[in-house]
Amino acid sequence: MDKKHHRLTTLASDNNQLRITGRSVAQLVTVAGGSPCYIYDRQALTARVAQFRQQMPSTLRLHYAIKANPMPALVSHLAQLVDGLDVASHQELLIALGSGINAAHISFAGPAKGLHELKAAVAAGITINVESLLELERLYKCYDELGIRPRVAFRVNPDFELKSSGMKMAGGPRQFGIDAEQMPSILATLDLNRTEFHGFHIFSGSQNLNAESLMACHRQTVALAAQLAEQVVAPVKHVNIGGGLGIPYFPGEQMLALDNIAHNLQQLLDHRPASLANTEFVMELGRWLVGEAGYYVCQVTDKKQSRGQTYLMTNGGLHHHLANSGNFGQVLRKNYPVVLAHCLDSDEQEVVEIVGPLCTPLDIVGAKLALPAAAVGDFIVVLQSGAYGASASPQKFLGHPEAAELLI
Ligand SMILES: *Cc1c(COP(=O)(O)O)cnc(C)c1O
């Protein structure tokens, strides 16, 4: 049972009621125009970036990976605080440009980029993380057509992996990047008249809560970057070492402590080889920056018993929050932290199944959850919901209204 596991994050409360940005959930839902909705706490986003700046090496650059949460207002807020934005589609590129950030600080990674996306990226003057030899050849053609030298970095698929990641994105055969062992020949023939070389992108995995694994990966990443740097005639302006910092979602998981990770990175930067002496190092983060600043709110619409189980029916579910339903890459479904907005704690708890309005048993908001007794009209809040929520869910499925999004 998941009793009290929401204690993994500190919640602001008043009279046992959840407060977000100093306001009640009912007030925020009214501002949002109704429930279901996502609420993003602007100050929490600012505080996250400040924590990174305070703890991580001062020369380490911080990028926001937009795919975690592409809400334009949120991206614009972060754009003022971080050093760059990473996009993975043309739509995300437009959102990044709309934030007002300097195009030179935008990079574009992702497999199977379309020709129109490559052209748009070159025309906009952003950096393209090249993921295949054919993509490089297409960029040469972009130069021939547009007369603008594409800014290129190579996304490299290393021969190591980031252990204990929620999602591994490197090592072994991958659709991402170019295998490290293919890089020497590509670098040897790189046409610097038709491209501007910027550096390397080595992203190994996501949702990692194991500091030792991350530290080992950072060591291997810098060593690989150094090897690659020796093979290219142009200076390596930047190395994007990926990110992967996770946040706790499930019972038993804990906040990642940054101190050892930061110390390790500082050592690596201090003792970097000469080939990387003038290189800027970048970390790109998605969920670590935005995940804990977001809340998904839905409302109880019905309550019923079925053969010994209590069901809370809500107006929200899988269609807004696929990850919370357990259908976004998880092997075994576990509950996100879920609370009852107006009563965070009570000695009297009931075990409930919280479900949404979709005609599928997959539509779970919380399973076998112990919560204070809830009634029709109450607000249910899913915590840790600022990343991979609204934009990563099949909102059109079954035709229910989309979730409103409020940044406040
Ligand atoms: C998805 C992705 C990220 C963000 O991952 P998080 O786990 O949200 O931090 C960063 N970089 C690349 C290349 C990605 O594909």
Side-chain angles (χ1 to χ4, degrees), residues 160-358:
F160 54 84
E161 58 177 40
L162 174 52
K163 298 211 167 63
S164 36
S165 274
M167 215 174 269
K168 291 199 171 97
M169 312 256 297
R174 293 284 163 187
Q175 74 262 52
F176 308 113
I178 300 170
D179 293 350
E181 53 278 21
Q182 293 177 23
M183 284 309 302
S185 72
I186 290 177
L187 291 173
T189 55
L190 179 62
D191 185 349
L192 291 170
N193 293 317
R194 292 200 285 173
T195 56
E196 208 178 276
F197 174 76
H198 277 257
F200 299 106
H201 177 213
I202 306 168
F203 179 85
S204 305
S206 228
Q207 180 49 20
N208 201 301
L209 290 170
N210 185 316
E212 290 298 326
S213 301
L214 285 160
M215 287 156 63
C217 180
H218 292 155
R219 276 192 291 275
Q220 290 173 296
T221 300
V222 174
L224 174 58
Q227 260 178 41
L228 294 167
E230 281 161 20
Q231 294 160 12
V232 60
V233 288
V236 179
K237 295 187 177 128
H238 77 253
V239 170
N240 181 332
I241 62 169
L245 306 187
I247 59 171
Y249 289 106
F250 305 125
E253 292 184 342
Q254 282 185 2
M255 273 303 288
L256 187 60
L258 291 191
D259 42 0
N260 290 338
I261 294 168
H263 178 75
N264 180 57
L265 276 170
Q266 187 69 63
Q267 295 288 313
L268 290 169
L269 296 184
D270 288 348
H271 301 111
R272 68 179 94 171
S275 57
L276 297 175
N278 298 312
T279 304
E280 272 190 345
F281 282 79
V282 180
M283 192 176 248
E284 57 177 350
L285 296 176
R287 76 185 77 223
W288 189 85
L289 287 173
V290 300
E292 305 204 315
Y295 304 80
Y296 175 64
V297 183
C298 56
Q299 194 165 20
V300 179
T301 56
D302 198 350
K303 184 172 185 177
K304 68 181 185 185
Q305 305 291 328
S306 170
R307 304 203 168 117
Q309 287 197 22
T310 303
Y311 284 85
L312 295 179
M313 330 295 292
T314 71
N315 60 355
L318 169 157
H319 53 311
H320 299 147
H321 203 334
L322 187 68
N324 175 55
S325 79
N327 293 292
F328 192 60
Q330 297 96 325
V331 180
L332 274 177
R333 189 191 179 280
K334 296 180 201 154
N335 287 323
Y336 270 44
V338 173
V339 299
L340 188 61
H342 76 283
C343 182
L344 289 175
D345 225 335
S346 159
D347 291 339
E348 279 168 49
Q349 308 245 330
E350 66 181 357
V351 177
V352 290
E353 304 286 322
I354 311 177
V355 299
L358 306 189

Side-chain angles (χ1 to χ4, degrees), residues 69-110:
N69 188 327
M71 183 202 195
L74 180 146
V75 173
S76 294
H77 177 65
L78 281 175
Q80 298 175 311
L81 305 172
V82 298
D83 304 304
L85 297 174
D86 293 331
V87 304
S89 70
H90 182 247
Q91 178 70 31
E92 288 190 359
L93 168 58
L94 296 184
I95 292 168
L97 289 171
S99 78
I101 201 165
N102 185 340
H105 299 155
I106 301 174
S107 61
F108 184 1

